[in-house]
Amino acid sequence: MTDEHYFSADPSVAFQRASVHAEVWGLDLTLVSGSGVFAQGRLDIGTSVLFRETEPPTGGRILDLGCGYGVIGLACALAAPTATVTAVDVNQRAVLLANENAASLGVDDRFVAITPEQADPAATYDEIWSNPPIRIGKAALHELLLTWLPRLAPDGRAVMVVGKNLGADSLQRWLGDQGFPTERVASAKGFRVLETRRARHADA
């Protein structure tokens, strides 16, 4: 079984929904995932580490980058009632499911899932939360991060979870070299939780 198809805009595998139950930040979530979308029927280990090793945001404009069926962004919206959340994914099924989940949780007035081309290029975000799609390859990952990290507000931060064996430590160094100083804030179950800031000189 491979997850590679979840990078597709329109996966070819037959679409079947599957329920996911997760407790994150003290919240009990019941969500719907689907075939052709990352982590069908489960909360993946990396995302569970991200939740366990962090405190939720308190508000502001939040971006869930590579949202899948929406669990990170939805948890942010529920944990921070004043937050507005934009969730982005290339996978159209993921966008559909994330919006359906937002409606079922009653946060669709503050949460919207979209594809990257639908995003307002002038929008900025106070926080970016992500379990980024490392397996798309280094060049594509770097392009993705350099597209979205510059959209952080001047005092904004990004919180990401990355597998150690998938290059978390080299990614941390690379981000710093690009003007986004990055600190490892936790390490568990083979994953690093990284916090990235905008360097002051990057606020051109």
Side-chain angles (χ1 to χ4, degrees):
M1 186 68 178
T2 178
D3 279 331
E4 296 305 320
H5 50 255
Y6 69 77
F7 304 129
S8 303
D10 185 15
S12 58
V13 63
F15 191 14
Q16 294 182 320
R17 287 171 167 80
S19 293
V20 177
H21 300 281
E23 182 177 336
V24 299
W25 292 327
L27 302 166
D28 288 313
L29 302 183
T30 298
L31 304 171
V32 177
S33 64
S35 49
V37 175
F38 178 64
Q40 178 191 5
R42 61 191 171 90
L43 182 67
D44 66 284
I45 296 173
T47 301
S48 67
V49 168
L50 177 68
F51 286 132
R52 191 168 59 249
E53 300 294 337
T54 60
E55 295 294 326
T58 57
R61 300 156 298 172
I62 297 170
L63 175 70
D64 178 357
L65 181 58
C67 67
Y69 57 84
V71 62
I72 295 175
L74 291 165
C76 289
L78 287 167
T82 62
T84 57
V85 180
T86 302
V88 173
D89 204 295
V90 298
N91 185 317
Q92 294 174 3
R93 287 185 191 175
V95 170
L96 173 68
L97 288 166
N99 282 322
E100 288 181 357
N101 285 324
S104 70
L105 293 172
V107 295
D108 49 328
D109 59 331
R110 299 184 293 110
F111 176 103
V112 63
I114 56 177
T115 57
E117 59 270 16
Q118 294 173 307
D120 177 0
T124 59
Y125 306 96
D126 299 302
E127 300 193 16
I128 296 174
W129 286 72
S130 185
N131 180 352
I134 300 297
R135 294 183 188 276
I136 61 176
K138 183 180 291 187
L141 176 68
H142 287 179
E143 180 182 2
L144 177 74
L145 294 176
L146 290 179
T147 297
W148 293 98
L149 288 176
R151 302 185 191 191
L152 280 171
D155 292 321
R157 65 168 186 157
V159 183
M160 296 180 284
V161 62
V162 180
K164 180 182 177 183
N165 67 341
L166 294 176
D169 295 341
S170 60
L171 180 64
Q172 179 182 351
R173 291 190 294 271
W174 177 82
L175 287 166
D177 291 342
Q178 307 308 307
F180 295 98
T182 299
E183 175 186 358
R184 183 199 309 167
V185 295
S187 184
K189 295 186 180 295
F191 289 87
R192 310 291 204 204
V193 178
L194 305 177
E195 182 179 88
T196 298
R197 299 276 179 174
R198 284 197 65 164
R200 285 296 177 182
H201 63 75
D203 301 334

